[in-house]
C-alpha cells in the first residue's frame, strides 16, 4: 500500500461548480498535510497546509483533514478555468520528508 | 522575492554523458531538497541539505547521483553515465528553519536522455 493514494483523474467539471479532490494516507503518525497545485511543465506551488485534523479556508479553497479515517480533501468553490491544473496532496513523515500522491488532473470547462 | 530558481530548464543528453543541474534556493532558507518527478507521478524525494550538510539520501539516489551544497547556498545535482531511465523532471525546493512543511519549489529541470 502506497503511503498516499490519490485518484489521478482526469476530473472535468463546468466553470462555477464546486470541486472536491480527495486523498487517503496510510500512516496515522502523519501530522502535516499539504495541497500543491502544478501547472503543466511547471514546479508545484504550495496552496495550503493543515496541521492535524480540521478545516482550513483560504479564499475559494478549503482543506479538510479527517485523521480518524485518514482522509484529506480539498474543495474549490466557484471554480475557474485558471484552476485547471494537477493537484497534489502530500503529507510529511517523521523524518521531515514530504510524501506526495500521484496528483489529480483537473479540467474546468468554460 | 526571487523564489527558487533552477538552471538549466531543459537538458537533452545522450546516454552515458554526465549532466549537472543547479538550484538557487530562497535566500533565507536553510533547507534545500531535490526531488524527481516522472510523467503521471508526484515528486519523489531524492535528498536534502540543512545548510551545507547533506542529511539524508533516498535509495532512489544511486551511486551515479551526487549532490552538493558547498557553502550552504546554491546546490548542484550531478548524474554520471546517464541512462534513459534518468529522464524526468528534477525539482528543487527550499524551506525556512521553522517551516519544513512549507517547501517552495523551483520550476524544475527537464532531463531527456536519448
Amino acid at each position: 500500500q502506497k503511503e498516499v493514494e490519490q485518484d489521478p483523474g482526469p476530473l472535468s467539471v463546468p466553470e462555477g461548480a464546486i470541486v472536491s479532490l480527495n486523498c487517503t494516507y496510510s500512516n496515522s503518525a502523519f501530522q502535516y498535510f499539504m495541497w500543491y497545485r502544478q501547472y503543466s511543465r511547471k514546479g508545484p506551488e504550495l496552496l495550503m497546509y493543515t496541521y492535524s485534523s480540521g478545516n482550513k479556508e483560504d479564499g475559494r479553497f478549503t482543506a479538510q483533514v479527517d485523521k480518524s479515517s485518514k482522509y484529506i480533501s480539498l474543495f474549490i468553490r466557484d471554480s475557474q478555468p485558471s484552476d485547471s491544473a494537477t493537484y497534489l496532496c502530500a503529507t510529511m513523515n517523521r523524518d521531515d520528508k514530504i510524501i506526495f500522491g500521484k496528483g489529480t488532473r483537473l479540467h474546468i470547462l468554460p | 522575492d526571487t523564489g527558487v530558481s533552477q538552471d538549466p530548464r531543459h537538458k537533452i543528453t545522450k546516454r552515458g554523458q554526465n549532466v549537472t543541474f543547479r538550484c538557487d534556493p530562497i535566500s533565507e532558507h536553510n533547507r534545500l531538497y531535490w526531488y524527481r518527478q516522472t510523467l503521471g507521478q508526484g515528486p519523489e524525494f531524492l535528498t536534502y541539505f540543512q545548510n551545507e550538510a547533506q542529511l539524508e539520501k533516498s535509495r532512489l539516489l544511486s551511486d551515479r547521483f551526487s549532490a552538493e551544497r558547498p557553502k550552504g547556498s546554491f546546490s548542484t545535482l550531478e548524474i554520471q553515465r546517464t541512462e534513459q531511465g534518468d529522464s524526468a523532471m528534477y525539482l528543487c525546493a527550499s524551506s525556512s528553519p521553522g517551516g519544513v512543511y512549507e517547501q517552495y519549489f523551483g520550476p524544475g529541470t527537464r532531463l531527456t536522455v536519448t
Side-chain angles (χ1 to χ4, degrees):
Chain A
Q1 182 188 11
K2 289 184 74 72
E3 291 183 284
V4 180
E5 300 269 11
Q6 186 174 10
D7 186 335
L11 177 65
S12 297
V13 299
E15 183 176 356
I18 295 175
V19 175
S20 173
L21 302 168
N22 308 293
C23 291
T24 58
Y25 63 95
S26 60
N27 191 332
S28 57
F30 293 155
Q31 295 279 26
Y32 285 98
F33 305 92
M34 289 76 76
W35 283 96
Y36 283 82
R37 178 175 61 195
Q38 187 172 26
Y39 291 111
S40 181
R41 299 186 179 274
K42 304 287 187 184
E45 170 195 9
L46 178 65
L47 279 176
M48 52 202 306
Y49 69 89
T50 53
Y51 175 74
S52 193
S53 281
N55 292 358
K56 187 172 184 178
E57 189 173 320
D58 184 0
R60 297 185 295 111
F61 297 88
T62 299
Q64 192 172 79
V65 177
D66 182 346
K67 292 200 76 179
S68 64
S69 58
K70 300 191 186 73
Y71 205 75
I72 313 165
S73 300
L74 179 71
F75 300 97
I76 307 174
R77 291 183 299 280
D78 187 26
S79 55
Q80 306 293 312
S82 58
D83 295 329
S84 297
T86 295
Y87 288 80
L88 298 153
C89 64
T91 184
M92 177 169 280
N93 69 8
R94 289 179 181 271
D95 299 323
D96 291 345
K97 287 188 295 187
I98 290 184
I99 301 164
F100 286 88
K102 285 187 174 185
T104 299
R105 286 180 295 143
L106 173 66
H107 299 292
I108 306 298
L109 306 170
Chain B
D1 179 13
T2 56
V4 178
S5 61
Q6 292 186 246
D7 184 70
R9 296 291 307 278
H10 305 276
K11 179 72 176 178
I12 300 174
T13 191
K14 293 186 176 179
R15 189 175 55 187
Q17 298 295 304
N18 298 347
V19 294
T20 300
F21 309 141
R22 176 180 169 125
C23 171
D24 287 87
I26 294 172
S27 57
E28 63 269 24
H29 286 184
N30 68 333
R31 284 201 174 188
L32 186 149
Y33 309 80
W34 285 99
Y35 292 84
R36 180 169 68 189
Q37 186 177 26
T38 54
L39 198 62
Q41 302 294 318
E44 292 178 292
F45 170 82
L46 292 178
T47 188
Y48 85 95
F49 293 83
Q50 181 159 297
N51 300 313
E52 64 274 10
Q54 187 173 18
L55 295 188
E56 188 162 352
K57 294 193 289 186
S58 163
R59 59 181 171 77
L60 293 176
L61 215 64
S62 76
D63 292 344
R64 297 184 297 105
F65 288 71
S66 62
E68 292 183 342
R69 195 183 183 196
K71 296 183 180 179
S73 56
F74 73 91
S75 175
T76 58
L77 177 69
E78 181 183 17
I79 309 174
Q80 296 182 326
R81 305 181 303 283
T82 51
E83 302 173 356
Q84 287 189 319
D86 297 331
S87 295
M89 174 82 93
Y90 289 85
L91 292 160
C92 175
S94 68
S95 68
S96 63
V100 293
Y101 42 86
E102 288 186 85
Q103 294 185 17
Y104 293 88
F105 282 79
T109 295
R110 182 169 296 279
L111 173 66
T112 302
V113 181
T114 62

